[in-house]
Amino acid sequence: MLKYGIESAPLTTDFGIDLVAYYPKNEKVTTIQVKTNLEPKPAGGTGKLSLDWWIPKKNPAKVMALVDMEKNRVWVFKKDELKKLPNLQSSKEKYHICMYTDPNAKPKGMLRTDKEFEQYLFDKRYNDLFY
């Protein structure tokens, strides 16, 4: 975020907000929850490589940041956008977002590839989040 002039600070307690971010250009503040994957893993334990994240539905953060540590990628979603994602699975308490990283994967049903989410990468969305 510093690369784009956005200041941020981690919170020391875990109430669903991991970072508070401030954009001095327009004095906008937003709250962010961060979910991280160290590396892709086989979907369902034996399938093609994929990333997945579980996000609590009762979450006070305005923005969700989903991280792929292996490739240094971050997807960001406004809270209201989550419900509209084509690959969203939902339980009573959590959303489950999955995406294949294997370029040879042939998604079926709700599963999608990481390429289908490029418009949500932080580098392409930071302006949208702070304006």
PDB file of all heavy atoms in Angstrom, residues 96-119:
ATOM      1  N   HIS A  96     -16.956 -18.906   1.444  1.00  0.00           N
ATOM      2  CA  HIS A  96     -15.785 -19.670   1.019  1.00  0.00           C
ATOM      3  C   HIS A  96     -15.505 -19.294  -0.427  1.00  0.00           C
ATOM      4  O   HIS A  96     -16.345 -19.485  -1.302  1.00  0.00           O
ATOM      5  CB  HIS A  96     -16.052 -21.168   1.148  1.00  0.00           C
ATOM      6  CG  HIS A  96     -14.855 -22.004   0.896  1.00  0.00           C
ATOM      7  ND1 HIS A  96     -14.954 -23.262   0.346  1.00  0.00           N
ATOM      8  CD2 HIS A  96     -13.537 -21.799   1.118  1.00  0.00           C
ATOM      9  CE1 HIS A  96     -13.741 -23.792   0.241  1.00  0.00           C
ATOM     10  NE2 HIS A  96     -12.873 -22.911   0.703  1.00  0.00           N
ATOM     11  N   ILE A  97     -14.326 -18.740  -0.655  1.00  0.00           N
ATOM     12  CA  ILE A  97     -13.926 -18.329  -2.003  1.00  0.00           C
ATOM     13  C   ILE A  97     -12.789 -19.234  -2.454  1.00  0.00           C
ATOM     14  O   ILE A  97     -11.801 -19.396  -1.740  1.00  0.00           O
ATOM     15  CB  ILE A  97     -13.463 -16.861  -2.019  1.00  0.00           C
ATOM     16  CG1 ILE A  97     -14.630 -15.971  -1.602  1.00  0.00           C
ATOM     17  CG2 ILE A  97     -12.933 -16.470  -3.392  1.00  0.00           C
ATOM     18  CD1 ILE A  97     -14.253 -14.523  -1.436  1.00  0.00           C
ATOM     19  N   CYS A  98     -12.942 -19.819  -3.640  1.00  0.00           N
ATOM     20  CA  CYS A  98     -11.923 -20.714  -4.203  1.00  0.00           C
ATOM     21  C   CYS A  98     -11.591 -20.263  -5.622  1.00  0.00           C
ATOM     22  O   CYS A  98     -12.463 -19.807  -6.346  1.00  0.00           O
ATOM     23  CB  CYS A  98     -12.449 -22.144  -4.306  1.00  0.00           C
ATOM     24  SG  CYS A  98     -13.071 -22.820  -2.794  1.00  0.00           S
ATOM     25  N   MET A  99     -10.325 -20.445  -5.994  1.00  0.00           N
ATOM     26  CA  MET A  99      -9.945 -20.200  -7.385  1.00  0.00           C
ATOM     27  C   MET A  99      -8.767 -21.090  -7.757  1.00  0.00           C
ATOM     28  O   MET A  99      -7.834 -21.257  -6.982  1.00  0.00           O
ATOM     29  CB  MET A  99      -9.629 -18.722  -7.633  1.00  0.00           C
ATOM     30  CG  MET A  99      -8.519 -18.138  -6.810  1.00  0.00           C
ATOM     31  SD  MET A  99      -8.189 -16.382  -7.184  1.00  0.00           S
ATOM     32  CE  MET A  99      -9.450 -15.563  -6.246  1.00  0.00           C
ATOM     33  N   TYR A 100      -8.879 -21.697  -8.921  1.00  0.00           N
ATOM     34  CA  TYR A 100      -7.782 -22.511  -9.431  1.00  0.00           C
ATOM     35  C   TYR A 100      -6.609 -21.625  -9.834  1.00  0.00           C
ATOM     36  O   TYR A 100      -6.802 -20.554 -10.405  1.00  0.00           O
ATOM     37  CB  TYR A 100      -8.211 -23.294 -10.675  1.00  0.00           C
ATOM     38  CG  TYR A 100      -9.086 -24.492 -10.399  1.00  0.00           C
ATOM     39  CD1 TYR A 100     -10.369 -24.557 -10.910  1.00  0.00           C
ATOM     40  CD2 TYR A 100      -8.608 -25.569  -9.666  1.00  0.00           C
ATOM     41  CE1 TYR A 100     -11.174 -25.665 -10.688  1.00  0.00           C
ATOM     42  CE2 TYR A 100      -9.407 -26.679  -9.438  1.00  0.00           C
ATOM     43  CZ  TYR A 100     -10.689 -26.720  -9.952  1.00  0.00           C
ATOM     44  OH  TYR A 100     -11.468 -27.817  -9.727  1.00  0.00           O
ATOM     45  N   THR A 101      -5.395 -22.094  -9.569  1.00  0.00           N
ATOM     46  CA  THR A 101      -4.197 -21.405 -10.053  1.00  0.00           C
ATOM     47  C   THR A 101      -3.535 -22.198 -11.163  1.00  0.00           C
ATOM     48  O   THR A 101      -2.684 -21.675 -11.868  1.00  0.00           O
ATOM     49  CB  THR A 101      -3.180 -21.188  -8.916  1.00  0.00           C
ATOM     50  OG1 THR A 101      -2.823 -22.454  -8.374  1.00  0.00           O
ATOM     51  CG2 THR A 101      -3.761 -20.307  -7.835  1.00  0.00           C
ATOM     52  N   ASP A 102      -3.929 -23.428 -11.327  1.00  0.00           N
ATOM     53  CA  ASP A 102      -3.384 -24.299 -12.368  1.00  0.00           C
ATOM     54  C   ASP A 102      -3.942 -23.853 -13.722  1.00  0.00           C
ATOM     55  O   ASP A 102      -5.156 -23.856 -13.926  1.00  0.00           O
ATOM     56  CB  ASP A 102      -3.781 -25.747 -12.087  1.00  0.00           C
ATOM     57  CG  ASP A 102      -3.144 -26.733 -13.038  1.00  0.00           C
ATOM     58  OD1 ASP A 102      -3.014 -26.426 -14.243  1.00  0.00           O
ATOM     59  OD2 ASP A 102      -2.778 -27.830 -12.581  1.00  0.00           O
ATOM     60  N   PRO A 103      -3.085 -23.444 -14.671  1.00  0.00           N
ATOM     61  CA  PRO A 103      -3.582 -22.961 -15.972  1.00  0.00           C
ATOM     62  C   PRO A 103      -4.289 -24.050 -16.777  1.00  0.00           C
ATOM     63  O   PRO A 103      -5.031 -23.745 -17.710  1.00  0.00           O
ATOM     64  CB  PRO A 103      -2.320 -22.476 -16.687  1.00  0.00           C
ATOM     65  CG  PRO A 103      -1.191 -23.134 -15.991  1.00  0.00           C
ATOM     66  CD  PRO A 103      -1.633 -23.409 -14.582  1.00  0.00           C
ATOM     67  N   ASN A 104      -4.094 -25.318 -16.421  1.00  0.00           N
ATOM     68  CA  ASN A 104      -4.753 -26.414 -17.134  1.00  0.00           C
ATOM     69  C   ASN A 104      -6.084 -26.820 -16.511  1.00  0.00           C
ATOM     70  O   ASN A 104      -6.748 -27.718 -17.009  1.00  0.00           O
ATOM     71  CB  ASN A 104      -3.829 -27.634 -17.187  1.00  0.00           C
ATOM     72  CG  ASN A 104      -2.557 -27.338 -17.951  1.00  0.00           C
ATOM     73  OD1 ASN A 104      -2.593 -26.714 -19.012  1.00  0.00           O
ATOM     74  ND2 ASN A 104      -1.426 -27.740 -17.401  1.00  0.00           N
ATOM     75  N   ALA A 105      -6.473 -26.172 -15.442  1.00  0.00           N
ATOM     76  CA  ALA A 105      -7.742 -26.508 -14.783  1.00  0.00           C
ATOM     77  C   ALA A 105      -8.909 -26.114 -15.671  1.00  0.00           C
ATOM     78  O   ALA A 105      -8.878 -25.092 -16.348  1.00  0.00           O
ATOM     79  CB  ALA A 105      -7.830 -25.794 -13.442  1.00  0.00           C
ATOM     80  N   LYS A 106      -9.925 -26.953 -15.664  1.00  0.00           N
ATOM     81  CA  LYS A 106     -11.152 -26.684 -16.415  1.00  0.00           C
ATOM     82  C   LYS A 106     -12.288 -26.572 -15.405  1.00  0.00           C
ATOM     83  O   LYS A 106     -12.895 -27.572 -15.037  1.00  0.00           O
ATOM     84  CB  LYS A 106     -11.395 -27.783 -17.435  1.00  0.00           C
ATOM     85  CG  LYS A 106     -10.318 -27.814 -18.499  1.00  0.00           C
ATOM     86  CD  LYS A 106     -10.602 -28.868 -19.540  1.00  0.00           C
ATOM     87  CE  LYS A 106      -9.603 -28.707 -20.649  1.00  0.00           C
ATOM     88  NZ  LYS A 106      -8.673 -29.704 -20.839  1.00  0.00           N
ATOM     89  N   PRO A 107     -12.545 -25.345 -14.945  1.00  0.00           N
ATOM     90  CA  PRO A 107     -13.547 -25.153 -13.891  1.00  0.00           C
ATOM     91  C   PRO A 107     -14.930 -25.625 -14.291  1.00  0.00           C
ATOM     92  O   PRO A 107     -15.342 -25.491 -15.436  1.00  0.00           O
ATOM     93  CB  PRO A 107     -13.544 -23.644 -13.668  1.00  0.00           C
ATOM     94  CG  PRO A 107     -12.270 -23.164 -14.241  1.00  0.00           C
ATOM     95  CD  PRO A 107     -11.922 -24.106 -15.349  1.00  0.00           C
ATOM     96  N   LYS A 108     -15.620 -26.183 -13.298  1.00  0.00           N
ATOM     97  CA  LYS A 108     -17.006 -26.601 -13.464  1.00  0.00           C
ATOM     98  C   LYS A 108     -17.824 -25.964 -12.355  1.00  0.00           C
ATOM     99  O   LYS A 108     -17.329 -25.757 -11.254  1.00  0.00           O
ATOM    100  CB  LYS A 108     -17.125 -28.123 -13.370  1.00  0.00           C
ATOM    101  CG  LYS A 108     -16.408 -28.861 -14.461  1.00  0.00           C
ATOM    102  CD  LYS A 108     -16.520 -30.349 -14.250  1.00  0.00           C
ATOM    103  CE  LYS A 108     -15.691 -31.080 -15.302  1.00  0.00           C
ATOM    104  NZ  LYS A 108     -15.616 -32.503 -15.053  1.00  0.00           N
ATOM    105  N   GLY A 109     -19.062 -25.666 -12.640  1.00  0.00           N
ATOM    106  CA  GLY A 109     -19.935 -25.122 -11.605  1.00  0.00           C
ATOM    107  C   GLY A 109     -19.445 -23.791 -11.080  1.00  0.00           C
ATOM    108  O   GLY A 109     -19.172 -22.870 -11.828  1.00  0.00           O
ATOM    109  N   MET A 110     -19.276 -23.719  -9.769  1.00  0.00           N
ATOM    110  CA  MET A 110     -18.918 -22.459  -9.113  1.00  0.00           C
ATOM    111  C   MET A 110     -17.425 -22.183  -9.117  1.00  0.00           C
ATOM    112  O   MET A 110     -17.008 -21.080  -8.816  1.00  0.00           O
ATOM    113  CB  MET A 110     -19.437 -22.462  -7.678  1.00  0.00           C
ATOM    114  CG  MET A 110     -20.950 -22.472  -7.608  1.00  0.00           C
ATOM    115  SD  MET A 110     -21.572 -22.563  -5.933  1.00  0.00           S
ATOM    116  CE  MET A 110     -21.073 -20.987  -5.310  1.00  0.00           C
ATOM    117  N   LEU A 111     -16.611 -23.175  -9.415  1.00  0.00           N
ATOM    118  CA  LEU A 111     -15.164 -22.954  -9.381  1.00  0.00           C
ATOM    119  C   LEU A 111     -14.724 -22.081 -10.552  1.00  0.00           C
ATOM    120  O   LEU A 111     -15.273 -22.161 -11.647  1.00  0.00           O
ATOM    121  CB  LEU A 111     -14.428 -24.287  -9.397  1.00  0.00           C
ATOM    122  CG  LEU A 111     -14.618 -25.140  -8.142  1.00  0.00           C
ATOM    123  CD1 LEU A 111     -13.946 -26.486  -8.310  1.00  0.00           C
ATOM    124  CD2 LEU A 111     -14.068 -24.437  -6.922  1.00  0.00           C
ATOM    125  N   ARG A 112     -13.713 -21.253 -10.321  1.00  0.00           N
ATOM    126  CA  ARG A 112     -13.184 -20.341 -11.322  1.00  0.00           C
ATOM    127  C   ARG A 112     -11.663 -20.372 -11.268  1.00  0.00           C
ATOM    128  O   ARG A 112     -11.073 -20.878 -10.338  1.00  0.00           O
ATOM    129  CB  ARG A 112     -13.658 -18.906 -11.051  1.00  0.00           C
ATOM    130  CG  ARG A 112     -15.158 -18.711 -11.094  1.00  0.00           C
ATOM    131  CD  ARG A 112     -15.649 -18.766 -12.545  1.00  0.00           C
ATOM    132  NE  ARG A 112     -17.031 -18.399 -12.672  1.00  0.00           N
ATOM    133  CZ  ARG A 112     -18.022 -19.259 -12.855  1.00  0.00           C
ATOM    134  NH1 ARG A 112     -17.791 -20.532 -12.901  1.00  0.00           N
ATOM    135  NH2 ARG A 112     -19.259 -18.835 -13.005  1.00  0.00           N
ATOM    136  N   THR A 113     -11.023 -19.755 -12.271  1.00  0.00           N
ATOM    137  CA  THR A 113      -9.562 -19.658 -12.266  1.00  0.00           C
ATOM    138  C   THR A 113      -9.150 -18.285 -11.745  1.00  0.00           C
ATOM    139  O   THR A 113      -9.936 -17.327 -11.780  1.00  0.00           O
ATOM    140  CB  THR A 113      -8.975 -19.845 -13.678  1.00  0.00           C
ATOM    141  OG1 THR A 113      -9.400 -18.760 -14.498  1.00  0.00           O
ATOM    142  CG2 THR A 113      -9.395 -21.174 -14.285  1.00  0.00           C
ATOM    143  N   ASP A 114      -7.915 -18.190 -11.292  1.00  0.00           N
ATOM    144  CA  ASP A 114      -7.407 -16.910 -10.787  1.00  0.00           C
ATOM    145  C   ASP A 114      -7.418 -15.835 -11.870  1.00  0.00           C
ATOM    146  O   ASP A 114      -7.570 -14.652 -11.584  1.00  0.00           O
ATOM    147  CB  ASP A 114      -6.022 -17.072 -10.163  1.00  0.00           C
ATOM    148  CG  ASP A 114      -4.995 -17.694 -11.089  1.00  0.00           C
ATOM    149  OD1 ASP A 114      -5.343 -18.237 -12.155  1.00  0.00           O
ATOM    150  OD2 ASP A 114      -3.804 -17.650 -10.738  1.00  0.00           O
ATOM    151  N   LYS A 115      -7.288 -16.227 -13.121  1.00  0.00           N
ATOM    152  CA  LYS A 115      -7.307 -15.257 -14.234  1.00  0.00           C
ATOM    153  C   LYS A 115      -8.632 -14.509 -14.311  1.00  0.00           C
ATOM    154  O   LYS A 115      -8.686 -13.363 -14.743  1.00  0.00           O
ATOM    155  CB  LYS A 115      -7.039 -15.960 -15.577  1.00  0.00           C
ATOM    156  CG  LYS A 115      -5.677 -16.609 -15.652  1.00  0.00           C
ATOM    157  CD  LYS A 115      -4.595 -15.593 -15.719  1.00  0.00           C
ATOM    158  CE  LYS A 115      -3.247 -16.260 -15.857  1.00  0.00           C
ATOM    159  NZ  LYS A 115      -2.169 -15.426 -15.401  1.00  0.00           N
ATOM    160  N   GLU A 116      -9.713 -15.163 -13.887  1.00  0.00           N
ATOM    161  CA  GLU A 116     -11.035 -14.542 -13.931  1.00  0.00           C
ATOM    162  C   GLU A 116     -11.219 -13.453 -12.864  1.00  0.00           C
ATOM    163  O   GLU A 116     -12.218 -12.744 -12.879  1.00  0.00           O
ATOM    164  CB  GLU A 116     -12.119 -15.601 -13.776  1.00  0.00           C
ATOM    165  CG  GLU A 116     -12.157 -16.574 -14.938  1.00  0.00           C
ATOM    166  CD  GLU A 116     -13.164 -17.674 -14.732  1.00  0.00           C
ATOM    167  OE1 GLU A 116     -14.376 -17.385 -14.857  1.00  0.00           O
ATOM    168  OE2 GLU A 116     -12.746 -18.800 -14.426  1.00  0.00           O
ATOM    169  N   PHE A 117     -10.240 -13.324 -11.970  1.00  0.00           N
ATOM    170  CA  PHE A 117     -10.333 -12.347 -10.891  1.00  0.00           C
ATOM    171  C   PHE A 117      -9.281 -11.252 -10.988  1.00  0.00           C
ATOM    172  O   PHE A 117      -9.054 -10.522 -10.032  1.00  0.00           O
ATOM    173  CB  PHE A 117     -10.239 -13.066  -9.540  1.00  0.00           C
ATOM    174  CG  PHE A 117     -11.450 -13.894  -9.267  1.00  0.00           C
ATOM    175  CD1 PHE A 117     -11.499 -15.208  -9.677  1.00  0.00           C
ATOM    176  CD2 PHE A 117     -12.553 -13.341  -8.639  1.00  0.00           C
ATOM    177  CE1 PHE A 117     -12.625 -15.973  -9.459  1.00  0.00           C
ATOM    178  CE2 PHE A 117     -13.689 -14.097  -8.418  1.00  0.00           C
ATOM    179  CZ  PHE A 117     -13.725 -15.417  -8.835  1.00  0.00           C
ATOM    180  N   GLU A 118      -8.665 -11.123 -12.153  1.00  0.00           N
ATOM    181  CA  GLU A 118      -7.611 -10.118 -12.317  1.00  0.00           C
ATOM    182  C   GLU A 118      -8.097  -8.700 -12.043  1.00  0.00           C
ATOM    183  O   GLU A 118      -7.346  -7.874 -11.546  1.00  0.00           O
ATOM    184  CB  GLU A 118      -6.978 -10.220 -13.706  1.00  0.00           C
ATOM    185  CG  GLU A 118      -6.077 -11.430 -13.828  1.00  0.00           C
ATOM    186  CD  GLU A 118      -5.309 -11.476 -15.128  1.00  0.00           C
ATOM    187  OE1 GLU A 118      -5.519 -10.608 -15.992  1.00  0.00           O
ATOM    188  OE2 GLU A 118      -4.489 -12.395 -15.266  1.00  0.00           O
ATOM    189  N   GLN A 119      -9.356  -8.396 -12.339  1.00  0.00           N
ATOM    190  CA  GLN A 119      -9.868  -7.038 -12.107  1.00  0.00           C
ATOM    191  C   GLN A 119      -9.931  -6.697 -10.622  1.00  0.00           C
ATOM    192  O   GLN A 119     -10.046  -5.526 -10.265  1.00  0.00           O
ATOM    193  CB  GLN A 119     -11.240  -6.834 -12.763  1.00  0.00           C
ATOM    194  CG  GLN A 119     -12.386  -7.526 -12.038  1.00  0.00           C
ATOM    195  CD  GLN A 119     -12.681  -8.915 -12.573  1.00  0.00           C
ATOM    196  OE1 GLN A 119     -11.834  -9.579 -13.146  1.00  0.00           O
ATOM    197  NE2 GLN A 119     -13.910  -9.361 -12.383  1.00  0.00           N
TER     198      GLN A 119
END
